[in-house]
Amino acid sequence: MPERTASHRPDSSVAAARPVGVFVGLATLDVIHYLPVAPGANEKVTATDSSIAAGGPAANAAVTFAGLGGDAVLITAIGRHPVGDLIRADLDRYGVRVVDLSAEVDSEPALSAITVSGNGDRSVVSMDATGFDLAEIPDLAPWIGPADILLIDGHHPALADVAARTANRLGVPVVIDAGRWKPQMATLVPQAGTVICSGDFRVPGSHDVRESAARLVADGNRIVITTQGAEAVLWWEGGRHGEIVPPRIAAVDTLGAGDVFHGAYCFFATQEDTCLTDRLGGAASVAAVRCARRGARAWLSDLPHRSPRPSPGTASPPDHPDPIPRPHLDDAGRPDKREPAPAPRPPSATIAAVLPQRTMP
């Protein structure tokens, strides 16, 4: 499926300044404690610091997209429990517009108990999306139609499936956050033009990241990316492959680093005149900025604000969604993700302009 950039939208001058990203998936309330060392069994430890913030892969990616200057919309399930007000308030503060498909549901949102140890490693315990049943999904075209890119994180599987199918029908590029293999991935992964895998993701039957990526490429996914923490980011596109070495930093907090990478990748993918290595280099640099600062949101102050922040709050569908060109289809009527990749281009000045102007140690 051909990628669209912001210039394909009717008002290109506005879209170029603030691309639209739609993020579909999990929103949680993260309760974070910072500890010198991880506690042992039956041990009580006094934290050196603590914080509360909205979390979840899609939510964190949306915050990053907004922090870089994009217009971020999160489609999720939060509900009207008082805990949900904390989630909405944090997302609102950081420029993410929320579409809550469970606004009238009393269920408590997912809570994540998180510890971050002195070396920056984190541990997470969460109910994820198991508290909500989103079997009935409304028409998502009014929100997805105007988007320049869609990311799904695989949580709320029925919602993710409808979102991906809607985006493919409307020609909106689909990115999937493939953190670990879950049963719904068998349905969702084939619908994504770009699959961003963690180092833990394995297609069933594969034994390492390269074999897993090879399976995805063989199945028709046009772009496959594997992140490996501080190690090289591996990529495959159109018969080519390579790696990007992230900036070397003294990491103090890795919580949400992968989510930040995904949100930054989506933002840079909407910029004109960027190739895959541009996007990966920019995303890796933004993730490094996140890991160099303690706190769920403190690192955002190190990002330049390129455009006016969107008006936050609850998102309503536009009255007249932008006309979107239909994707190229294969012989079976499915979006064709196997078309030849574009020729390599020089590094983009657009991406360099939005990254923090500082040298990473």
Side-chain angles (χ1 to χ4, degrees):
M1 182 176 67
E3 294 192 21
R4 298 187 305 131
T5 61
S7 63
H8 289 80
R9 302 180 68 227
D11 188 348
S12 60
S13 63
V14 174
R18 193 162 67 200
V20 177
V22 175
F23 300 82
V24 174
L26 183 64
T28 70
L29 183 68
D30 289 355
V31 180
I32 309 162
H33 288 98
Y34 294 89
L35 309 172
V37 295
N42 296 315
E43 181 181 6
K44 293 183 179 181
V45 179
T46 300
T48 58
D49 200 359
S50 63
S51 67
I52 296 176
N60 285 331
V63 168
T64 302
F65 192 92
L68 286 167
D71 187 352
V73 177
L74 175 67
I75 304 178
T76 186
I78 297 175
R80 60 185 182 186
H81 188 281
V83 169
D85 294 338
L86 299 176
I87 298 173
R88 279 184 287 269
D90 186 64
L91 294 172
D92 183 274
R93 179 181 180 186
Y94 291 99
V96 176
R97 296 186 292 152
V98 175
V99 178
D100 183 7
L101 299 183
S102 294
E104 302 304 317
V105 176
D106 292 326
S107 298
E108 183 176 294
L111 300 175
S112 297
I114 299 171
T115 61
V116 181
S117 58
N119 64 357
D121 290 343
R122 85 288 186 270
S123 297
V124 181
V125 178
S126 178
M127 289 284 291
D128 292 337
T130 57
F132 289 91
D133 179 12
L134 291 178
E136 296 183 7
I137 310 299
D139 179 15
L140 301 179
W143 290 284
I144 294 177
D148 296 298
I149 198 161
L150 169 78
L151 178 136
I152 56 176
D153 67 11
H155 295 278
H156 302 298
L159 172 61
D161 181 64
V162 172
R165 292 180 187 278
T166 301
N168 279 323
R169 174 170 57 84
L170 298 176
V172 177
V174 179
V175 177
I176 186 168
D177 168 1
R180 61 185 186 273
W181 181 267
K182 299 182 283 289
Q184 58 264 35
M185 290 297 176
T187 300
L188 297 177
V189 167
Q191 301 186 65
T194 300
V195 183
I196 306 181
C197 309
S198 76
D200 296 326
F201 183 87
R202 298 287 186 277
V203 173
S206 59
H207 300 90
D208 57 38
V209 295
R210 293 180 183 274
E211 182 181 358
S212 183
R215 293 274 298 276
L216 294 172
V217 171
D219 287 342
N221 294 102
R222 191 167 71 84
I223 298 175
V224 177
I225 301 161
T226 298
T227 60
Q228 305 180 101
E231 302 304 316
V233 178
L234 310 177
W235 61 266
W236 292 261
E237 179 190 31
R240 299 180 296 123
H241 62 88
E243 61 182 47
I244 296 291
V245 178
R248 297 299 178 187
I249 62 166
V252 297
D253 189 351
T254 61
L255 178 63
D259 307 336
V260 168
F261 182 97
H262 303 147
Y265 176 87
C266 288
F267 180 84
F268 293 131
T270 67
Q271 305 302 293
E272 295 185 25
D273 300 323
T274 64
C275 63
L276 179 59
T277 53
D278 288 335
R279 302 165 191 172
L280 294 177
S285 294
V286 173
V289 171
R290 189 274 165 269
C291 293
R293 287 283 297 270
R294 173 179 285 188
R297 304 286 184 247
W299 65 277
L300 288 165
S301 64
D302 291 337
L303 296 179
H305 298 293
R306 299 180 59 245
S307 61
R309 301 300 292 264
S311 300
T314 301
S316 299
D319 293 331
H320 302 286
D322 295 345
I324 303 298
R326 293 180 62 83
H328 294 298
L329 303 179
D330 62 18
D331 294 337
R334 297 167 300 190
D336 187 356
K337 301 186 286 288
R338 295 171 293 177
E339 63 183 17
R345 290 168 287 185
S348 168
T350 303
I351 288 180
V354 306
L355 293 177
Q357 300 301 306
R358 68 176 189 179
T359 302
M360 307 301 294

